[in-house]
Amino acid sequence: MSQVLINQYLAQLDVLKKVGGTHRESVVREAFKDLLKGWGKQHDLVFIPEYKLDSTTKDTRFVDGALLHELRVPFGYWEAKDAKDDLDAEIEFKFKRGYPQDNIIFEDSARAVLIQHREEVMRCDVADVKSLEKLLKLFFSFERAEIADFRQAVAQFKTDLPAVLDALRSMIEREHTTNAAFSKASKKFLKHAQEAINPGLTDADVREMLIQHILTEEIFSKVFDSEFQSCTCSKPPSSPAG
């Protein structure tokens, strides 16, 4: 599929040059834009043209295009230049103006340059299908540090979860045995849950509901911080009735 998209790009680029009678960036860049849009769809990314940047120089800047996750988190950027420009000089100039350097492609309809983590990763002629495919695969395999950290945390949570669940079940069982107030509140909550949710609920179901509440409250408080805390009680409930 990737080589099909590249061949479509090259064909469209050729048509734009021939029919448009020009190699101007404003005309021929449409072909690379369509290539990024098509490739991005395979990764559930949304292409936004003329994307406004929050530059390090605090000035208003617009990159020719950006690919965003559906949650509006930027994934990567694209800047087109004119074929008659000095591409390396233009790249240096854009970076001095505060353009992002984490994952961005510069291209002039003849060459493409990929910058990741402030370093040049690869450059190639756009007519070289295999090389351009490699460059784009590197671009689309990029992972932001915060997303990588989140995925690592999720993986670690899955590893730790069985032990956490066992510990919580042991704690709840101990409270049922030794804490009369807890046991009374648990029975009261069970009766309420049977009346409001399902008459078939059991004491074991109530314990699992309590465990889910404990886990999700902790997760939400860490992810959403003050926004979540302002919508919930300041302290976790001391019993199922809380």
Side-chain angles (χ1 to χ4, degrees):
M1 182 61 180
S2 56
Q3 290 194 7
V4 171
L5 289 172
I6 292 173
N7 286 325
Q8 289 175 346
Y9 154 68
L10 293 173
Q12 183 183 359
L13 180 63
D14 188 55
V15 169
L16 289 172
K17 289 178 178 179
K18 288 181 179 178
V19 178
T22 179
H23 288 206
R24 284 189 299 112
E25 169 205 332
S26 58
V27 175
V28 299
R29 72 177 183 176
E30 295 300 313
F32 206 88
K33 179 194 293 185
D34 289 345
L35 173 60
L36 291 177
K37 288 170 67 175
W39 205 305
K41 286 181 180 179
Q42 300 178 66
H43 296 267
D44 297 320
L45 297 169
V46 179
F47 182 90
I48 306 296
E50 300 300 324
Y51 182 74
K52 185 179 179 180
L53 298 170
D54 295 323
S55 71
T56 55
T57 58
K58 305 303 180 182
D59 297 318
T60 301
R61 304 284 187 236
F62 292 89
V63 69
D64 286 325
L67 287 148
L68 276 65
H69 298 281
E70 289 188 356
L71 293 177
R72 299 177 64 181
V73 177
F75 169 82
Y77 308 89
W78 159 66
E79 180 72 9
K81 305 310 303 178
D82 199 288
K84 65 181 180 181
D85 293 334
D86 182 329
L87 187 56
D88 289 324
E90 287 293 325
I91 292 173
E92 183 179 357
F93 174 70
K94 291 297 184 181
F95 287 159
K96 285 182 179 179
R97 300 190 74 195
Y99 275 53
Q101 301 183 48
D102 50 351
N103 190 34
I104 184 169
I105 294 175
F106 291 87
E107 58 86 21
D108 61 5
S109 77
R111 295 161 297 163
V113 179
L114 173 62
I115 306 293
Q116 291 180 324
H117 301 299
R118 308 181 73 87
E119 298 287 342
E120 180 178 320
V121 174
M122 183 180 175
R123 68 172 57 206
C124 69
D125 293 335
V126 299
D128 185 336
V129 175
K130 288 187 177 181
S131 293
L132 183 57
E133 179 184 21
K134 180 179 179 180
L135 183 145
L136 288 167
K137 284 183 175 180
L138 288 170
F139 176 75
F140 281 101
S141 64
F142 176 81
E143 189 169 53
R144 297 179 66 91
E146 57 268 36
I147 293 177
D149 290 343
F150 176 76
R151 289 181 176 171
Q152 183 179 357
V154 170
Q156 186 61 50
F157 180 74
K158 289 180 179 178
T159 300
D160 295 341
L161 186 56
V164 172
L165 291 174
D166 287 342
L168 284 173
R169 290 190 180 106
S170 296
M171 292 171 62
I172 292 172
E173 182 62 33
R174 184 175 66 248
E175 290 299 309
H176 266 286
T177 303
T178 63
N179 188 333
F182 184 93
S183 181
K184 181 179 178 180
S186 178
K187 291 177 182 178
K188 181 179 179 180
F189 181 76
L190 172 60
K191 181 179 179 182
H192 174 71
Q194 288 173 332
E195 294 173 349
I197 303 173
N198 185 344
L201 290 175
T202 66
D203 189 59
D205 294 322
V206 169
R207 299 185 190 192
E208 292 304 309
M209 291 168 67
L210 178 58
I211 289 172
Q212 290 178 28
H213 174 77
I214 293 171
L215 289 175
T216 54
E217 193 279 337
E218 180 70 13
I219 293 168
F220 271 79
S221 66
K222 294 297 183 183
V223 172
F224 296 104
D225 197 21
S226 59
E227 288 84 354
F228 179 73
Q229 293 292 343
S230 65
C231 297
T232 60
C233 55
S234 59
K235 296 181 179 179
S238 58
S239 72

